[in-house]
Amino acid sequence: MITEYRTFLNPKKVYIPLTDIDSKIANVSVEEGDRVLVGQIVAYKFKGKDKTPVLSTVSGTVVGFVEKLDRYAKIVDHIIIENDLLMETIELTNYKDKLAVSQDRNFIHNVTTYSENISTAQVRTALKGLGIQKVTVDGLFTDIKFKGQTEHIVVNAIFTNEPFISTDYEAIIHNAEAIADGICLLGIGAGAKTLTVIVDKYMPAEALDELGKAIVDKNIELISINVKIIKSWDYKIIQKLVKHNLSLNLLDDGVLYTSVHAALMVHDAIRKGIPVTSRQVAITGDGLKVNAVYDVRIGTLFSDLVEDLEGYHEVENMNLHIGSFLTGIQLDNDDFAITQSVDSINVSEYREVEEDVCIKCGDCNDICPAGILPQNIMDAELRSVNSRIVELDTHLCVECGLCTYVCPSKINVLEWVRRAKRRVG
Amino acid sequence: MEFITKKPPIVGNSQRTYKRSINLHFALLIVAIAAVILKAYTKVPETVTYTALDQSFKVFLMLAVGAFTSVVIELFYSLSEGSTKKFDSYKGFVDPINTGLIIALLLPTITPIYVLILAVIVGVYAGKLVFGGYGYYIFNPALVGVLFANLSFGSQLTVTNTPLMLLKRALGGETISFTNMTDLFVGNYDALAIGTTSVILLCVIFIYLLITRVIDIRTSGTFLLTVLIMSFGVGFINFYVEGNMSGVFDYVVINMITGFTLFAAVFLVSESVSSPTSRETKMIYAVVIATLMMLVRVLGSQPEGVVFAILFGNMITPFINRTVKRSDNKTLLKTSLILLFTVLFISISLGFILQSELIDIFASIGGALL
Ligand code: SF4
Ligand code: SF4
């Protein structure tokens, strides 16, 4: 259980990966020995022609480059910056003007009236310039990217990391206005038609009130769900918006799906000109002496955080898990740096649970949000019947992992579906 | 610090396969105990030499022998496979005992013990183990055993004057007075099988198993609903006397609560391994079984058709599975509507077939059209 709220904003050194899962080529623009400021571009990473800046999150000296493990379990180049604790920031443009709040409920349809204050292009440039791109990555979440026609912005105020479900409601209560503004800014950046916030039905009344007050007249729709029932709520909500089955990457459906924390970062970036230099990370698990929600400087090593948490319990066989349990990844080492895309880390004892045979109960078929039949796909994959795999619309799987979650035999159904997909791929 | 990168199983979901087996086990044990007790209170005919207590002991013996034989076969099989690790904990015994108990519960009190043993051997070995054991079989093993016993030793298993048989004779035109309804609900009457009589108990267990998700409402519920509609249809056409529904209700109630109907709904139809996997196919499956069962009951020579019906359902499960490709609301609605329509149609035609009026009706429709 999360018991504490902590900050860790002044690491001695930060390690910032120069590339990530998508942008695999980096072009460094500083040298060893250079002094850099907060928000200064230290490199550009490329995905084809798509160029994203890599920013320094502290002020200090570049002390070198090193190859190390990143949060995707890949070995990549990192830049090391020694923190001088001055937090000197580069000059940044910001768009301080408050959004003129229109009483016109149909504001979405005439985004132009808003452009007097800030234009779509300005939002995009600001977000790009400040390196806001990969804020939350696990599960259905998408990058913050405006590609093609993005018609819907969906923002999730629930942080689910089974078996822990927690959201830092304090953050929502204090920053409700900013979050709402961030959502609107995203809407402007995308030229979106609808804005939606998903909240927990049972979240503290105060947080709900504040959020409600903040989004009123902004034409943001609030949808509350019951997180106690494990179900693919977000899939269904988004499906209703786009009116067809979803793709693996929601951006292809014209949906930008992100978290309230990301909305807050967007607000900070555009209104205050603050680049993303820190983020909130929930660190949980029975392998750690203390569990906490951290406000942490991006680039901090996880091992430093563990030290701050008084270390590990002495357990053999531990799992280190980043992201949601349904879709995240395991790392074999704690020597990696926190990035924008790390929202939660869990360190727990590894408990083997024996897999039973499939009893054909059909629970996985019932839960699948894409409406396909994972058990039947698994069966077809076992028998290697390609035509059947195609017939069963295997490509509609969004890899949400719910089939694995519900299986009473603890079969990793998703893995079978993935294999089937690859077979007919 | 090093970590292992094997993906941990998701523990947040407490549903486990073995928990379901144990719940089923628990339910079966209760039914078994109840069967023993009920037999002690069932009136025996005055012409026989045995007492009710003898009968009760016989039931106990059957249940014990059934379970024991089943475990022994599985044990031998494991030995021949070279590993008995499965039997280290009680968990390993649960499934074999379940199969043994179901077979015993589905046979009548007069079953000779050697028939029971043979039935269990056939059911467990030919019905389950040759396919690879729990989770892999195609036919419900218990029913394979029961069918074997019924086919091979039919004459030794004959019970007369069960409510269903009386009902059949009533359909044939005789006037029959039924045992009183309380007896039917509590279950102390002589029936085709020892475990299938107590309606009240089976209803309670039905709810318990539904809650623990051992059985699926979409299979068992559809099954019961179909039997209800069909028996109402047939009953209405045959027993409706101007303004008096009581004959119809008797027919429906007896169809619902006697015979294997409830036992099948609780323990047999929803057996997950040998039934289809998505909600639409589960409904189709249940309707197929219920229809076949009613066909046998109404038209066939045997009083009870559920054993055969379920085995037939098992047989066409792969085919049913293939009929549905997706499982969204549209498919669900479509399937339900088609099924409802089919059930109504069949029940009405069954009723008329029974009255041999179908031909007249066709003739009159034809006449009207011309
Ligand atoms: S098959 Fe499994 S992972 Fe894929 S969409 Fe369905 S439930 Fe999710
Ligand atoms: S949930 Fe698991 S046991 Fe049930 S049908 Fe799916 S894979 Fe089989």
Side-chain angles (χ1 to χ4, degrees):
Chain A
M1 283 298 287
I2 293 171
T3 46
E4 284 180 45
Y5 181 80
R6 296 193 179 196
T7 51
F8 196 88
L9 294 171
N10 291 312
K12 286 201 192 74
K13 282 179 187 168
V14 291
Y15 293 74
I16 300 169
L18 297 175
T19 55
D20 63 40
I21 198 109
D22 292 323
S23 310
K24 297 204 171 86
I25 297 169
N27 196 343
V28 187
S29 31
V30 292
E31 282 182 2
E32 204 177 316
D34 283 2
R35 181 171 149 77
V36 293
L37 304 177
V38 178
Q40 185 175 335
I41 293 165
V42 295
Y44 285 101
K45 52 188 171 189
F46 295 87
K47 180 192 184 189
K49 280 188 185 156
D50 197 11
K51 170 164 114 171
T52 316
V54 180
L55 307 180
S56 170
T57 55
V58 293
S59 61
T61 322
V62 178
V63 291
F65 297 87
V66 67
E67 281 195 335
K68 67 201 281 42
L69 187 78
D70 76 353
R71 55 85 77 221
Y72 297 104
K74 297 260 160 24
I75 305 287
V76 303
D77 286 324
H78 286 62
I79 183 171
I80 312 171
I81 303 167
E82 200 169 72
N83 187 0
D84 60 12
L85 303 180
L86 298 173
M87 290 309 279
E88 269 181 75
T89 318
I90 53 160
E91 286 280 323
L92 282 157
T93 23
N94 57 43
Y95 305 87
K96 282 219 180 68
D97 293 349
K98 260 274 176 205
L99 268 183
V101 175
S102 161
Q103 299 306 316
D104 177 10
R105 286 233 146 225
N106 297 323
F107 105 91
I108 304 267
H109 302 296
N110 43 47
V111 173
T112 36
T113 54
Y114 279 78
S115 325
E116 289 159 25
N117 295 313
I118 183 163
S119 69
T120 298
Q122 280 170 318
V123 170
R124 292 190 183 190
T125 322
L127 291 182
K128 193 144 198 178
L130 295 169
I132 296 182
Q133 182 213 354
K134 271 195 179 304
V135 183
T136 329
V137 292
D138 284 318
L140 287 172
F141 291 106
T142 62
D143 294 348
I144 297 187
K145 245 189 205 169
F146 305 106
K147 112 177 176 197
Q149 185 78 355
T150 304
E151 299 196 330
H152 311 281
I153 308 286
V154 182
V155 175
N156 194 333
I158 302 158
F159 163 63
T160 316
N161 186 12
E162 196 261 338
F164 304 98
I165 295 178
S166 66
T167 301
D168 185 17
Y169 291 109
E170 288 295 307
I172 293 185
I173 293 169
H174 294 156
N175 300 303
E177 281 290 339
I179 290 169
D181 183 47
I183 298 171
C184 287
L185 288 170
L186 278 173
I188 292 168
K193 290 208 187 102
T194 69
L195 308 175
T196 310
V197 184
I198 304 175
V199 294
D200 178 6
K201 209 168 164 182
Y202 299 110
M203 74 198 265
E206 201 187 346
L208 201 57
D209 276 0
E210 288 297 325
L211 211 55
K213 256 188 264 163
I215 65 168
V216 86
D217 337 306
K218 291 204 176 71
N219 216 355
I220 300 175
E221 197 189 346
L222 200 71
I223 297 181
S224 59
I225 63 172
N226 181 358
V227 292
K228 295 213 182 70
I229 302 172
I230 298 285
K231 204 173 126 180
S232 47
W233 296 102
D234 40 7
Y235 187 102
K236 296 284 181 224
I237 290 168
I238 298 171
Q239 196 179 30
K240 245 194 205 146
L241 290 174
V242 302
K243 301 192 179 60
H244 55 74
N245 277 300
L246 305 183
S247 331
L248 196 47
N249 186 349
L250 292 174
L251 287 173
D252 296 341
D253 297 320
V255 177
L256 195 155
Y257 181 34
T258 188
S259 67
V260 279
H261 295 299
L264 192 56
M265 285 179 198
V266 168
H267 167 88
D268 284 355
I270 296 175
R271 299 297 183 196
K272 303 188 189 146
I274 306 175
V276 181
T277 55
S278 65
R279 76 153 296 157
Q280 216 166 49
V281 183
I283 300 178
T284 56
D286 55 14
L288 289 161
K289 294 235 167 82
V290 181
N291 286 185
V293 172
Y294 263 102
D295 212 357
V296 57
R297 182 75 55 213
I298 288 168
T300 308
L301 288 182
F302 178 61
S303 43
D304 289 347
L305 289 181
V306 173
E307 220 168 276
D308 191 57
L309 287 171
E310 293 148 41
Y312 301 107
H313 282 297
E314 301 214 347
V315 199
E316 269 192 32
N317 288 344
M318 288 208 290
N319 250 166
L320 194 161
H321 194 100
I322 298 184
S324 120
F325 267 69
L326 300 180
T327 50
I329 24 177
Q330 276 83 30
L331 291 193
D332 61 5
N333 208 304
D334 60 1
D335 188 23
F336 68 94
I338 306 289
T339 68
Q340 268 185 33
S341 64
V342 177
D343 57 355
S344 63
I345 300 171
N346 183 288
V347 181
S348 301
E349 189 184 350
Y350 176 77
R351 293 182 192 84
E352 178 98 56
V353 175
E354 221 175 299
E355 216 176 83
D356 298 320
V357 298
C358 170
I359 55 162
K360 311 207 171 60
C361 60
D363 286 0
C364 50
N365 288 348
D366 290 344
I367 195 103
C368 179
I372 55 176
L373 306 171
Q375 197 279 333
N376 300 31
I377 294 169
M378 179 168 85
D379 195 48
E381 168 61 21
L382 272 168
R383 291 182 291 124
S384 326
V385 206
N386 292 10
S387 60
R388 180 92 180 118
I389 296 175
V390 176
E391 196 182 83
L392 286 165
D393 289 335
T394 310
H395 64 279
L396 290 179
C397 168
V398 291
E399 317 213 340
C400 64
L402 279 169
C403 44
T404 307
Y405 177 85
V406 296
C407 179
S409 292
K410 304 282 164 208
I411 297 169
N412 194 344
V413 188
L414 170 58
E415 198 47 50
W416 286 100
V417 177
R418 280 203 187 117
R419 264 184 234 176
K421 262 201 220 172
R422 252 176 267 141
R423 173 190 294 277
V424 296
Chain B
M1 182 79 187
E2 302 278 305
F3 297 89
I4 45 176
T5 51
K6 256 208 264 176
K7 181 144 176 115
I10 292 162
V11 286
N13 176 17
S14 63
Q15 288 286 330
R16 291 304 311 272
T17 305
Y18 72 84
K19 285 193 197 159
R20 294 189 185 183
S21 302
I22 289 176
N23 275 321
L24 180 68
H25 186 58
F26 183 57
L28 276 170
L29 284 179
I30 291 180
V31 173
I33 294 168
V36 174
I37 296 172
L38 274 176
K39 265 290 166 279
Y41 290 98
T42 305
K43 275 193 222 72
V44 287
E46 272 153 29
T47 47
V48 293
T49 51
Y50 54 77
T51 64
L53 230 48
D54 290 341
Q55 290 288 78
S56 167
F57 179 72
K58 173 74 187 302
V59 169
F60 171 75
L61 196 68
M62 279 172 66
L63 292 165
V65 169
F68 181 73
T69 321
S70 174
V71 170
V72 168
I73 302 167
E74 292 240 7
L75 212 58
F76 269 123
Y77 185 78
S78 296
L79 276 177
S80 73
E81 295 276 283
S83 157
T84 50
K85 208 172 133 256
K86 175 178 155 201
F87 291 99
D88 282 351
S89 66
Y90 188 68
K91 262 192 240 171
F93 288 96
V94 167
D95 181 58
I97 295 181
N98 285 354
T99 314
L101 282 182
I102 293 183
I103 295 182
L105 286 172
L106 280 175
L107 291 171
T109 331
I110 49 162
T111 317
I113 291 294
Y114 69 91
V115 172
L116 173 72
I117 293 178
L118 279 176
V120 175
I121 292 176
V122 170
V124 174
Y125 187 73
K128 190 197 285 179
L129 295 177
V130 291
F131 291 107
Y134 185 67
Y136 298 105
Y137 45 79
I138 312 174
F139 295 106
N140 189 329
L143 292 180
V144 172
V146 173
L147 185 72
F148 168 79
N150 279 331
L151 289 183
S152 320
F153 302 95
S155 58
Q156 275 124 303
L157 305 180
T158 320
V159 184
T160 47
N161 289 340
T162 66
L164 262 190
M165 284 179 188
L166 297 178
L167 200 62
K168 198 156 201 164
R169 300 224 309 264
L171 278 178
E174 283 178 53
T175 0
I176 304 276
S177 68
F178 291 114
T179 349
N180 71 41
M181 282 286 172
T182 341
D183 273 357
L184 279 186
F185 275 100
V186 178
N188 49 350
Y189 61 92
D190 211 21
L192 274 183
I194 56 182
T196 59
T197 54
S198 179
V199 176
I200 295 171
L201 182 67
L202 285 176
C203 283
V204 172
I205 286 183
F206 186 65
I207 292 164
Y208 171 71
L209 291 183
L210 273 183
I211 293 170
T212 51
R213 301 188 53 194
V214 177
I215 57 178
D216 192 324
I217 185 78
R218 283 160 303 190
T219 327
S220 294
T222 314
F223 173 75
L224 287 177
L225 198 68
T226 312
V227 175
L228 186 77
I229 295 175
M230 286 200 171
S231 54
F232 185 81
V234 174
F236 190 79
I237 290 168
N238 288 286
F239 292 100
Y240 182 66
V241 207
E242 279 310 306
N244 181 0
M245 293 288 279
S246 71
V248 185
F249 283 133
D250 274 356
Y251 187 80
V252 173
V253 167
I254 293 195
N255 259 304
M256 291 297 289
I257 68 174
T258 69
F260 293 180
T261 316
L262 265 180
F263 191 84
V266 179
F267 293 114
L268 303 174
V269 183
S270 264
E271 202 279 321
S272 67
V273 177
S274 53
S275 62
T277 49
S278 64
R279 35 182 199 184
E280 292 82 5
T281 46
K282 280 177 179 170
M283 282 160 54
I284 300 175
Y285 174 79
V287 167
V288 167
I289 291 176
T291 311
L292 267 178
M293 184 185 94
M294 287 308 287
L295 274 178
V296 175
R297 280 193 181 177
V298 175
L299 304 174
S301 61
Q302 294 210 326
E304 184 50 75
V306 80
V307 174
F308 169 71
I310 293 176
L311 285 173
F312 181 79
N314 292 163
M315 194 166 80
I316 61 166
T317 290
F319 171 72
I320 304 181
N321 263 337
R322 227 171 304 146
T323 56
V324 174
K325 293 179 190 119
R326 300 183 40 94
S327 165
D328 46 25
N329 293 343
K330 223 170 74 196
T331 330
L332 184 67
L333 195 71
K334 213 170 83 189
T335 322
S336 322
L337 284 179
I338 294 178
L339 285 179
L340 187 67
F341 185 72
T342 321
V343 168
L344 286 177
F345 177 75
I346 295 179
S347 64
I348 291 172
S349 9
L350 252 184
F352 282 117
I353 289 178
L354 206 68
Q355 293 224 317
S356 322
E357 276 177 8
L358 206 56
I359 297 163
D360 296 351
I361 290 176
F362 275 130
S364 65
I365 292 176
L369 284 179
L370 288 173

